[in-house]
Amino acid sequence: CGSDGEFYENHCEEHRAACLKKQKITIVHNEDCFFKGDNCNSIDYKKMKNFLLDLQNRKYTLQTKESITEDKIALKKLLVDQMFKYYDSDNNGLVDSNELTQVIKQDELGKDMSDCSLFDLLKYDDYNSDKHLGLEEFYRAFQVIQLSLPEDQKVSITAAIVGQSAVLSCAIQGTLRPPIIWKRNNVALKSLDLEDINDFGDDGSLYITKITTTHMGNYSCYADGYDQIYQTHILQVNVPPVIRVFPESQAREPGVTATLRCHAEGIPNPVLGWLKNGIDITPKLSKQLTLQANGSEVHISNVRYEDTGAYTCIAKNEAGVDEDISSLFVEDSARKTLANILWREEGLGIGNMFYVFYEDGIKVIQPVECEFQRHIKPNEKLLGFQDEVCPKTGGDEVQRCIWASAANVKDKFIYVTQPTLDRVLIVDVQSQKVVQVKQEFKIKNIKFAFVMPIRIWNCTYRSGFNSSSQL
């Protein structure tokens, strides 16, 4: 048994090691040799360390004449601290084989630890292999776990959008940290075996997939067996706004009052705003035009013809944006009667308007007085997209539109084809805007006869025709 804690087969090997290490290595004589070579197994090694802790506990109790039992974790750390201080006789912060030999002799440890000795501490727990044991290595050897949690991370707030995923990371750190346990309402989540909540791997994080509002709440994490230190995660689930306006469309005579309402739901509560024909109405608020019910209602008293338009309600929160349109038409009885006669007899009108397709875009015309109500220009952006109504093609310097056939869908939308772009534009009649483009088709072997302007008609079958009649 060498004084450096190594076991040598013979004197020659011991002298060779001393030469290589450039240090004096003495032989621990047989009556004091307690290093047993490779006979110390893991079970005996654990028993030896428990014996050393019990021995130190007895020493501490005799010294202080009191016993500490209420906090076993704190007691173990105290005992290991005192044990290290006792072993480190030269107070240099490291314990070497000579100091271990001295402790073996002083405490007569060779008779009580089976096939293990103090030198096995250097064999199994010298993590940096420097032939010395530091305090951290003593902590590892005797399983003294020191956990830490920064004060500013004891409570963590995480916001996620419904339908997405979230990762909650436990901020508890420490050497030899035990597995992390996650609880909600004092119930361990792992025991519930939930498909959408998992704690994969060893990083201690909690993974939640396909978040719903049922996942909102507090989640706590702690190291197994050390529940006095825990972190609380507050999971907030945000839901994008969903709104509905009513009425969707209304006609009022001049001088009466009109009310447009917008109902919005979402988490957090959405903030509402109103546009008229795409322009914010806030600067135009007056005694005649007011916002009520926390901005969810637009009241227009003594309506005038110029109040006609598409009123867009926009709802925003941290999760997204939604919008819907309520249309207001201000017409007197005579005009409405005349317009109804013309629309019924001529088959005209979508949303009480003509939609005419020109090279320079789409013009919305009031058919009774032939007034332009809206001009959708070729460079106007599609609602919610970056595409233009009529983008430039090839080397054309002038931005112009080329249209083919169009169709009226339930007096709510107009589908109009653009043959050179292989796509269909969808025009929202109420908002008088191009809201969508469909390009999933190709137009082949079709010749288009293009006439400007194109009128869109509601075609109805009249009585008096039989199956052989041609319309």
Side-chain angles (χ1 to χ4, degrees):
C1 293
S3 59
D4 60 347
E6 298 290 342
F7 182 78
Y8 299 100
E9 293 183 3
N10 51 54
H11 289 275
C12 182
E13 291 292 338
E14 181 260 337
H15 289 304
R16 180 175 181 273
C19 181
L20 292 174
K21 295 180 179 180
K22 296 181 181 181
Q23 70 181 57
K24 184 179 179 180
I25 300 177
T26 60
I27 296 175
V28 179
H29 295 288
N30 287 336
E31 67 254 29
D32 298 321
C33 182
F34 308 115
F35 186 72
K36 310 299 190 306
D38 294 327
N39 294 327
C40 181
N41 57 44
S42 60
I43 296 177
D44 290 337
Y45 184 54
K46 185 176 181 181
K47 289 180 179 179
M48 183 198 77
K49 289 190 288 186
N50 289 334
F51 170 79
L52 293 175
L53 285 173
D54 291 339
L55 179 62
Q56 190 63 38
N57 190 18
R58 291 196 296 270
K59 288 182 180 180
Y60 178 79
T61 303
L62 290 174
Q63 292 171 1
T64 61
K65 296 182 180 179
E66 61 181 16
S67 177
I68 300 177
T69 58
E70 62 273 8
D71 191 342
K72 294 182 179 180
I73 297 173
L75 175 60
K76 179 188 278 191
K77 182 179 183 302
L78 175 63
L79 295 177
V80 173
D81 285 339
Q82 291 203 342
M83 186 190 306
F84 182 82
K85 185 178 180 181
Y86 173 61
Y87 287 12
D88 183 20
S89 58
D90 59 4
N91 295 320
N92 68 343
L94 296 171
V95 175
D96 58 21
S97 59
N98 291 327
E99 289 169 320
L100 292 177
T101 301
Q102 183 179 344
V103 172
I104 291 173
K105 291 181 178 181
Q106 290 175 352
D107 294 348
E108 299 180 351
L109 298 179
K111 302 176 183 178
D112 302 314
M113 295 186 294
S114 182
D115 290 329
C116 297
S117 77
L118 289 187
F119 294 116
D120 286 311
L121 293 173
L122 281 171
K123 181 178 180 180
Y124 293 116
D125 289 302
D126 181 15
Y127 285 92
N128 58 7
S129 301
D130 64 348
K131 305 300 181 182
H132 294 81
L133 293 171
L135 181 58
E136 289 296 327
E137 289 171 320
F138 253 66
Y139 284 158
R140 282 178 173 267
F142 291 93
Q143 294 291 305
V144 176
I145 299 173
Q146 297 188 92
L147 301 176
S148 63
L149 177 63
E151 189 68 27
D152 60 348
Q153 296 188 38
K154 287 187 175 180
V155 177
S156 176
I157 300 176
T158 301
I161 298 177
V162 66
Q164 296 183 352
S165 301
V167 179
L168 306 182
S169 299
C170 192
I172 298 175
Q173 301 295 329
T175 304
L176 299 177
R177 185 188 72 178
I180 293 298
I181 304 297
W182 285 91
K183 285 187 176 182
R184 185 182 183 190
N185 299 328
N186 293 322
V187 178
L189 292 174
K190 196 170 185 178
S191 65
L192 299 178
D193 195 23
L194 302 174
E195 292 184 358
D196 53 352
I197 301 180
N198 297 281
D199 50 349
F200 300 109
D202 299 325
D203 63 349
S205 298
L206 189 70
Y207 298 82
I208 306 177
T209 57
K210 296 182 181 178
I211 289 178
T212 66
T213 53
T214 59
H215 292 121
M216 295 175 66
N218 296 350
Y219 298 80
S220 60
C221 69
Y222 64 92
D224 191 11
Y226 297 81
D227 54 359
Q228 74 278 8
I229 299 178
Y230 61 91
Q231 182 186 27
T232 300
H233 283 263
I234 302 173
L235 179 61
Q236 298 177 346
V237 179
N238 295 334
V239 180
V242 176
I243 67 174
R244 183 176 65 88
V245 296
F246 51 95
E248 293 183 357
S249 178
Q250 60 179 313
R252 290 289 183 267
E253 295 183 0
V256 302
T257 299
T259 301
L260 304 91
R261 296 179 175 85
C262 179
H263 176 72
E265 295 180 352
I267 302 175
N269 289 331
V271 177
L272 299 180
W274 287 88
L275 307 178
K276 178 188 176 184
N277 296 333
I279 300 174
D280 186 8
I281 69 169
T282 304
K284 299 181 179 180
L285 294 178
S286 62
K287 291 183 178 180
Q288 190 247 352
L289 176 64
T290 59
L291 289 178
Q292 300 183 14
N294 295 324
S296 64
E297 296 182 4
V298 176
H299 283 262
I300 309 174
S301 60
N302 192 24
V303 296
R304 300 164 294 188
Y305 292 118
E306 53 266 32
D307 293 323
T308 295
Y311 291 79
T312 305
C313 176
I314 301 178
K316 297 180 181 180
N317 68 5
E318 298 174 8
V321 181
D322 193 19
E323 61 182 48
D324 201 0
I325 296 172
S326 177
S327 298
L328 172 64
F329 300 95
V330 181
E331 303 167 319
D332 60 32
S333 301
R335 290 188 180 187
K336 283 195 285 187
T337 302
L338 176 59
N340 286 336
I341 294 173
L342 288 174
W343 297 327
R344 184 172 64 252
E345 295 299 326
E346 301 295 335
L348 308 178
I350 300 173
N352 301 345
M353 298 291 170
F354 266 137
Y355 282 77
V356 187
F357 299 83
Y358 294 91
E359 280 190 336
D360 63 342
I362 307 171
K363 292 184 179 179
V364 184
I365 303 174
Q366 208 279 348
V368 176
E369 298 182 355
C370 204
E371 295 177 346
F372 282 110
Q373 297 290 323
R374 173 113 162 80
H375 182 195
I376 303 174
K377 297 181 180 179
N379 60 354
E380 185 172 317
K381 300 288 186 182
L382 276 63
L383 189 64
F385 299 88
Q386 293 301 314
D387 294 343
E388 295 181 339
V389 172
C390 299
K392 287 184 179 180
T393 57
D396 294 343
E397 295 183 0
V398 179
Q399 194 166 353
R400 64 191 186 93
C401 299
I402 298 177
W403 309 102
S405 56
N408 169 21
V409 180
K410 295 184 178 180
D411 284 344
K412 292 184 177 180
F413 300 100
I414 299 171
Y415 283 52
V416 56
T417 54
Q418 294 179 304
T420 59
L421 299 175
D422 288 339
R423 71 181 190 179
V424 172
L425 292 185
I426 301 177
V427 182
D428 188 307
V429 171
Q430 291 186 355
S431 63
Q432 300 178 357
K433 291 183 178 180
V434 181
V435 295
Q436 197 174 351
V437 59
K438 290 186 177 292
Q439 265 184 308
E440 291 82 4
F441 69 95
K442 294 291 184 181
I443 301 176
K444 297 181 179 179
N445 303 323
I446 299 177
K447 294 182 180 180
F448 293 93
F450 179 68
V451 180
M452 287 196 313
I454 299 175
R455 285 186 173 180
I456 302 170
W457 304 85
N458 286 326
C459 300
T460 56
Y461 291 100
R462 300 184 184 277
S463 60
F465 294 101
N466 56 40
S467 60
S468 63
S469 299
Q470 296 200 4
L471 303 180

